[in-house]
Amino acid sequence: MDEEERESSSAARFEEDYYTFLNIPRNASAEEISNAYRRLSKCYHPDKHTDPALKKDAEVLFNRTNKAYEVLSDPHKRAIYDSLGVRGLETEGWEIVLRTKTPQELRDEYERLAREEEERRLLMRTNPKGNVTVNINATDLFNRYSDEYNDVYSDVGMGNARNSLFSSVEVSGMSFTQSIEAPLTLKDTALLGGELGIKNGIGSGSINFSIRRLVSPRGWFEVQAGAGNGPTLGFRGYRSLTKRIFFNGGTVLQFNPNEIRPGLVGTLVMQLDTHTIGYLTYRVGIQSGMNTTIVRSTPHAYTAFSIEFALLRSFVSLSYTHKLEERQLELKGYVKLGTFGWFVEYGAEKKLSKHTSVSAMVHVGTPTGVSLRVKLKRAYQTYTFPIRLSDEIFPAPVFYATVAPLISWVLLKNFVVDPIVRERKQRDKDKQREANKRMKLEKQKEAKAAVDLMKATFSRIRAEEEAKRGLIITKALYGRFVYPQDRNSADEEMVGGQRDEIIDVTIPLQCLVKDSKLVLHNASKSQLPGFYDPCVGEDKQLLLQYLFHMQTHECLIKDTEPLRIPKPSHRVNTT
């Protein structure tokens, strides 16, 4: 386990383990739970301590003991705790759960309540989505000029050459789209969206408003209204017909000064197998046509094959994406052939973080020529930069469109992305380490208070065991042991800059002895009373030396290994 994994998993190690705190197995009976509770209550009850400082510590530990007993002695709460941990007990709404439900039903109920909490949270905010597209025309960079033009241009100074280089790249168009979702109730959602664009000096825009209502768990209905190139009114709906067949469709009316143009679209979706879905789409009116698409998606690849017949244009296309999960990289390819011509696209998409990704796609075809599309996704915002390099297919623009993104990514990754990622990871690790440090100090303080409260019980149990020559814990150490390779070194406690990180747990273990026996279960010992984790994320051991019938015994076990002593195999040969 590397340092990052240890830091990320350390928070879970501090979660309360009620079974280990009471030192009982996870399948403990009600009687075992009661006996463990009574044993700890005798030690931690505030009335048994007259010292004000000890009394205050006793109240804290006694409340923790009561909490553990309250959860484990109640079959309903215990089932929740066994399935979901402490977070399940803290979820609001459990009062509506019947006590006859099974642990699996309780888990389902918890997930349902969590979804309702998420829905309530969504009611308090919108869900914005935006897209910014900047069209760049750089075809002049690769145009072939006549020799006469080159001769004239060669007489111009270098300063004018640089100005001409920059002037050959221009922004030919821009568009902005933005939408928000405003949940009105758990079933009704309002959506507002707009688009504003400009191309070759001509601007256009539109705005759309719709209300969606969840009719049932199997379907929804939506009413749309818009304005832009004339008013529009539309209706859309979705319905789950069976477990494998779905339908969505709608109609739209576009109002022009001289006519009303109706449009109708419907899509039938069928799940063919676990990874394959088929789509059949039919359009009437605006852009009439029929489309059939087969999509197959697996954890390692995505493939889509499509055929469309339409009045204006028909085509066949094939798209393939290879997913490299470990590298968070996707390699993409797309081929399209139709009555309008053909084109090929290839490129890659790289995930930079949980909410950010960047992609670059090279487009080569006729009559579109050569272009490069760079896209940046950040949460709900998308920024797209289509760069038109050539109106015809030449080797130079294809080469530069392919190589330039690779070189740019290498430079960007080494000098911008990696430093930012390293800084963010280090910052998160420092925050987690600081949080762990504070929690460790709290647990250390609690363990010290528990040991102080145990001293009277420790003296009584030890005296009883000594009187009958029973089980006496002489030494108990818990933590990480570093064993020196060089016994002649000046400091045997340090090896390679590392020291033992251990705590003395002799008193807590002696207090767990009952009838000359000590039983520890298969769980981390750091949750036992009087214990704490001295080295979070590291492998720990328990070193134990004890007397039984006045014979010396010794053993060394792993942190989560169960223990039952005394054992004849632990006897030390003192001859």
Side-chain angles (χ1 to χ4, degrees):
M1 181 184 293
D2 58 25
E3 183 179 358
E4 184 175 350
E5 291 175 340
R6 288 197 297 267
E7 293 292 340
S8 62
S9 63
S10 59
R13 299 175 182 271
F14 289 111
E15 185 175 346
E16 295 281 354
D17 186 340
Y18 295 146
Y19 290 100
T20 304
F21 182 75
L22 298 178
N23 192 31
I24 55 176
R26 299 193 71 85
N27 60 349
S29 63
E31 182 180 0
E32 290 176 311
I33 295 173
S34 297
N35 291 337
Y37 170 71
R38 284 195 296 268
R39 184 181 68 250
L40 288 183
S41 295
K42 292 178 181 179
C43 181
Y44 297 143
H45 201 288
D47 294 342
K48 292 182 175 293
H49 304 277
T50 57
D51 185 285
L54 291 178
K55 193 177 186 70
K56 184 177 180 181
D57 293 334
E59 289 176 354
V60 175
L61 290 167
F62 186 68
N63 289 336
R64 185 178 174 189
T65 305
N66 281 337
K67 181 63 177 178
Y69 176 72
E70 177 189 346
V71 171
L72 299 184
S73 61
D74 186 326
H76 174 65
K77 292 182 179 180
R78 184 177 180 180
I80 297 173
Y81 175 74
D82 288 345
S83 299
L84 305 167
V86 177
R87 75 183 191 277
L89 297 169
E90 296 173 349
T91 301
E92 296 181 0
W94 285 111
E95 61 275 4
I96 66 174
V97 181
L98 297 177
R99 292 176 177 267
T100 57
K101 291 196 174 184
T102 64
Q104 180 58 42
E105 290 172 329
L106 291 171
R107 180 180 291 275
D108 295 339
E109 188 70 16
Y110 168 81
E111 293 175 352
R112 184 188 68 79
L113 292 170
R115 286 195 300 269
E116 289 186 359
E117 177 63 26
E118 178 67 14
E119 290 173 349
R120 286 193 294 268
R121 186 178 65 83
L122 287 174
L123 290 175
M124 303 176 63
R125 69 177 185 89
T126 60
N127 183 22
K129 295 180 181 179
N131 194 329
V132 178
T133 302
V134 180
N135 296 282
I136 300 175
N137 190 341
T139 56
D140 288 348
L141 291 175
F142 298 96
N143 279 345
R144 295 182 176 181
Y145 301 112
S146 61
D147 293 339
E148 293 81 2
Y149 185 86
N150 288 331
D151 292 339
V152 174
Y153 184 75
S154 62
D155 296 334
V156 183
M158 291 301 296
N160 291 334
R162 286 194 295 268
N163 293 333
S164 179
L165 177 63
F166 287 105
S167 63
S168 62
V169 179
E170 64 177 5
V171 176
S172 58
M174 296 182 69
S175 65
F176 304 87
T177 62
Q178 187 74 28
S179 65
I180 60 172
E181 296 181 7
L184 305 177
T185 66
L186 293 178
K187 291 186 176 181
D188 299 315
T189 303
L191 300 94
L192 179 64
E195 179 180 359
L196 182 64
I198 182 172
K199 186 174 183 180
N200 297 326
I202 301 175
S204 63
S206 64
I207 186 171
N208 296 279
F209 176 76
S210 62
I211 295 181
R212 178 180 300 172
R213 180 172 181 79
L214 184 65
V215 181
S216 69
R218 301 179 60 183
W220 52 262
F221 182 78
E222 183 176 289
V223 179
Q224 301 174 329
N229 187 18
T232 59
L233 179 65
F235 305 91
R236 292 179 58 213
Y238 167 85
R239 178 70 177 176
S240 174
L241 303 179
T242 67
K243 291 183 178 180
R244 302 171 66 92
I245 301 177
F246 316 92
F247 175 81
N248 68 76
T251 181
V252 61
L253 300 175
Q254 186 173 6
F255 298 89
N256 292 330
N258 301 323
E259 61 177 350
I260 300 176
R261 300 181 60 188
L264 179 67
V265 60
T267 301
L268 187 66
V269 185
M270 177 179 292
Q271 185 172 357
L272 304 179
D273 59 37
T274 306
H275 302 287
T276 308
I277 298 178
Y279 299 85
L280 179 61
T281 302
Y282 188 73
R283 296 189 302 272
V284 178
I286 304 173
Q287 297 181 353
S288 298
M290 184 173 64
N291 180 283
T292 301
T293 303
I294 303 294
V295 176
R296 180 171 179 80
S297 180
T298 66
H300 304 291
Y302 172 89
T303 306
F305 177 75
S306 182
I307 299 178
E308 179 167 323
F309 298 98
L311 296 178
L312 299 180
R313 62 178 187 176
S314 300
F315 66 86
V316 58
S317 66
L318 176 64
S319 173
Y320 178 77
T321 300
H322 185 68
K323 305 175 184 178
L324 302 175
E325 294 291 342
E326 295 182 356
R327 299 184 179 182
Q328 295 186 324
L329 179 68
E330 294 183 354
L331 303 179
K332 299 183 177 184
Y334 185 56
V335 180
K336 192 172 184 179
L337 176 65
T339 55
F340 55 86
W342 65 271
F343 69 82
V344 176
E345 282 188 353
Y346 58 91
E349 180 174 343
K350 173 67 175 178
K351 190 172 183 180
L352 303 181
S353 66
K354 183 178 180 180
H355 302 289
T356 305
S357 65
V358 62
S359 65
M361 298 292 295
V362 180
H363 177 105
V364 180
T366 56
T368 52
V370 182
S371 61
L372 172 66
R373 187 175 73 252
V374 180
K375 182 182 294 185
L376 174 66
K377 294 181 181 179
R378 175 62 180 170
Y380 297 109
Q381 302 295 318
T382 303
Y383 305 90
T384 308
F385 301 90
I387 305 173
R388 191 177 184 86
L389 300 177
S390 175
D391 294 329
E392 300 180 21
I393 301 177
F394 297 131
V398 175
F399 173 78
Y400 284 106
T402 305
V403 174
L406 295 177
I407 297 176
S408 301
W409 167 248
V410 172
L411 297 176
L412 183 68
K413 182 177 184 299
N414 291 332
F415 296 102
V416 179
V417 176
D418 285 351
I420 293 176
V421 171
R422 283 195 298 267
E423 182 181 356
R424 187 184 70 248
K425 287 184 176 180
Q426 186 62 42
R427 186 170 60 251
D428 293 342
K429 286 168 61 177
D430 292 341
K431 291 174 60 178
Q432 185 63 55
R433 189 179 293 113
E434 186 64 27
N436 291 340
K437 183 179 179 181
R438 290 196 302 269
M439 195 166 293
K440 178 181 175 181
L441 291 176
E442 293 176 3
K443 294 292 183 181
Q444 184 178 4
K445 181 180 179 181
E446 181 182 294
K448 184 179 182 303
V451 171
D452 292 338
L453 296 170
M454 290 177 182
K455 288 181 179 178
T457 305
F458 165 77
S459 300
R460 176 178 57 80
I461 294 178
R462 180 151 184 161
E464 292 174 355
E465 295 296 325
E466 287 177 346
K468 59 183 179 182
R469 296 163 54 106
L471 180 59
I472 304 170
I473 309 297
T474 57
K475 183 180 181 181
L477 301 177
Y478 172 71
R480 182 179 68 128
F481 297 89
V482 178
Y483 302 100
Q485 301 293 332
D486 184 8
R487 291 292 181 178
N488 297 323
S489 61
D491 187 356
E492 291 190 358
E493 292 184 354
M494 178 178 289
V495 178
Q498 294 182 330
R499 289 182 178 273
D500 290 347
E501 294 176 315
I502 56 178
I503 58 175
D504 190 323
V505 291
T506 305
I507 292 178
L509 288 184
Q510 184 68 66
C511 291
L512 294 177
V513 173
K514 183 180 180 181
D515 298 331
S516 299
K517 293 179 182 178
L518 173 63
V519 178
L520 302 179
H521 304 282
N522 54 339
S524 175
K525 310 301 183 290
S526 61
Q527 294 282 345
L528 287 168
F531 282 63
Y532 70 93
D533 195 338
C535 46
V536 178
E538 301 288 349
D539 294 332
K540 291 170 283 293
Q541 295 172 306
L542 177 63
L543 173 64
L544 199 60
Q545 294 178 356
Y546 61 94
L547 294 176
F548 184 68
H549 292 172
M550 304 308 294
Q551 294 288 326
T552 302
H553 295 66
E554 183 175 295
C555 66
L556 180 68
I557 64 169
K558 295 180 180 179
D559 183 26
T560 57
E561 185 179 346
L563 175 67
R564 184 181 294 269
I565 60 173
K567 273 189 177 182
S569 59
H570 294 168
R571 186 180 301 168
V572 177
N573 187 1
T574 57
T575 303

